[in-house]
Amino acid sequence: MEDVCERYRSELSALIDGQLDLKLQTDMQSHITGCEECARELNTLKSLEEFLQQNIASEGLVVPELWCLMQSELPSLCDLVHDDLSAFIDNELPPPAHEGVDKHLKECLPCIAAFKELNKTSKLIARSLELSASIKVDLWPAVKARLNEDCALIQNELSAYADQEVEILRHRTITSHLVDCAECKNRFQSISSVGEFLRDSYKPDLPDNFDLWPDVRRQLQVVPITLKAVQPAKENPVKAKPKNRRLYLASAAAVVVLMVASAGMFLNISKHKVVPLSSEAYLIDSAMSQPTEIAEAVVYDPQ
């Protein structure tokens, strides 16, 4: 009941002003008829509203026209168009704003004159900035200098690159950079040589009679299967016990065969000859063989 009263009391002001829908207004009036506290609260609000109306009317206060006051402070449409003329000439306005400025220019002579003057000035500036045909601009030195700045970033990632710990797109970027940059390529070769030296130094020497099967066999455990005795039914006996027993034995035999086959495959791996491959060749080959959805552009020095 208290929740209903609290909810209705929050709507008492709207009830007095007639801002509620018909259903809620009917429900509130029915509730107020049977609730003394809500009725007392409604009467208090009505008395307060009547007091305020009497005092405002007695003082003769005049409500100001807020829109007229705001309109005098707002910038005019011509001022807004003048601010957008530069973007209008460069086609940088969104379609609705561009259409509005174009429509205003067809109707306002002062704005048309300002637009023509600004357009003329823009053409003069563009003409003065044009280079003559005798002047040739070569951007490659600046581009090459900018590319050389990336060497420091790439050299910091060479260790992760050698360990295959960078993303595919970044992997391809570093690979392309190593093809063109001799300094980074030498740094990567030194890192790769250190890794290959450590791998060769800590490579274990396995004897010719190395065999893991005895240890694997000792770890294997045969778990006996105990079948639960099933009482034969008095009527319609089902001969499922022999079948279940054969199924369990076949499953156990299959598990043992799979374990023996896995151990045999593991032992045969050491007999195959491994072809040595440098880290650089492996990384470049893996980077170029993996597909990607983003095409990459590589700039080469024409010299």
Side-chain angles (χ1 to χ4, degrees):
M1 186 66 180
E2 294 180 359
D3 296 338
V4 176
C5 293
E6 185 177 357
R7 182 167 61 87
Y8 283 160
R9 287 175 187 175
S10 62
E11 301 290 347
L12 288 178
S13 178
L15 177 64
I16 295 174
D17 298 335
Q19 298 176 352
L20 300 178
D21 56 1
L22 183 60
K23 184 178 183 306
L24 182 58
Q25 183 178 356
T26 304
D27 294 342
M28 289 186 63
Q29 289 176 353
S30 300
H31 175 77
I32 291 172
T33 302
C35 182
E36 296 181 358
E37 294 183 0
C38 293
R40 191 182 308 110
E41 186 75 18
L42 179 62
N43 294 331
T44 303
L45 288 176
K46 287 183 178 180
S47 301
L48 179 61
E49 185 178 1
E50 292 175 358
F51 174 77
L52 293 175
Q53 290 179 354
Q54 291 175 1
N55 289 337
I56 292 175
S58 62
E59 294 178 1
L61 297 177
V62 179
V63 179
E65 290 291 339
L66 297 179
W67 173 245
C68 295
L69 297 177
M70 293 173 60
Q71 193 173 13
S72 61
E73 298 295 333
L74 293 175
S76 63
L77 182 59
C78 292
D79 295 336
L80 297 176
V81 171
H82 285 177
D83 294 338
D84 292 337
L85 282 180
S86 179
F88 176 78
I89 295 173
D90 298 333
N91 290 324
E92 296 176 352
L93 291 177
H98 190 279
E99 184 179 356
V101 173
D102 185 41
K103 183 179 179 181
H104 180 78
L105 291 177
K106 294 177 180 178
E107 301 174 353
C108 182
L109 296 178
C111 291
I112 293 176
F115 168 73
K116 292 181 178 179
E117 187 68 23
L118 183 60
N119 193 18
K120 182 180 179 180
T121 304
S122 300
K123 291 181 178 179
L124 291 176
I125 294 175
R127 191 178 298 112
S128 63
L129 294 177
E130 291 180 357
L131 298 177
S132 60
S134 59
I135 301 177
K136 295 182 179 181
V137 179
D138 187 9
L139 296 178
W140 175 244
V143 174
K144 191 175 181 180
R146 180 64 182 87
L147 292 175
N148 291 334
E149 293 179 1
D150 296 337
C151 291
L153 299 176
I154 290 178
Q155 289 178 5
N156 290 333
E157 296 180 288
L158 286 180
S159 179
Y161 172 78
D163 297 335
Q164 294 286 306
E165 295 177 354
V166 294
E167 298 179 354
I168 295 177
L169 294 180
R170 186 58 180 168
H171 188 278
R172 292 195 170 189
T173 302
I174 297 175
T175 303
S176 301
H177 182 83
L178 292 178
V179 174
D180 296 335
C181 183
E183 182 180 357
C184 294
K185 185 176 181 180
N186 294 333
R187 179 69 64 87
F188 173 68
Q189 288 177 351
S190 62
I191 294 176
S192 301
S193 61
V194 172
E196 292 174 359
F197 173 77
L198 293 175
R199 184 172 61 252
D200 295 338
S201 299
Y202 289 95
K203 184 177 180 181
D205 296 330
L206 298 178
D208 296 336
N209 58 351
F210 180 74
D211 189 8
L212 289 176
W213 173 242
D215 294 335
V216 174
R217 186 170 54 186
R218 280 194 297 268
Q219 297 297 327
L220 295 178
Q221 295 181 1
V222 179
V223 180
I225 300 175
T226 304
L227 299 178
K228 185 178 180 180
V230 179
Q231 297 294 335
K234 295 182 180 180
E235 296 180 358
N236 297 328
V238 180
K239 298 180 180 180
K241 184 176 180 180
K243 295 183 179 180
N244 292 336
R245 185 175 183 181
R246 287 196 296 270
L247 179 61
Y248 294 149
L249 294 177
S251 301
V255 171
V256 173
V257 171
L258 288 176
M259 296 179 65
V260 172
S262 301
M265 292 177 61
F266 178 78
L267 294 175
N268 289 332
I269 292 175
S270 59
K271 298 180 181 180
H272 294 284
K273 184 177 180 181
V274 179
V275 180
L277 185 66
S278 63
S279 301
E280 179 183 3
Y282 171 74
L283 292 174
I284 293 176
D285 181 69
S286 62
M288 295 306 177
S289 61
Q290 295 180 2
T292 181
E293 297 178 358
I294 302 176
E296 299 174 1
V298 181
V299 181
Y300 297 95
D301 191 348
Q303 300 178 357

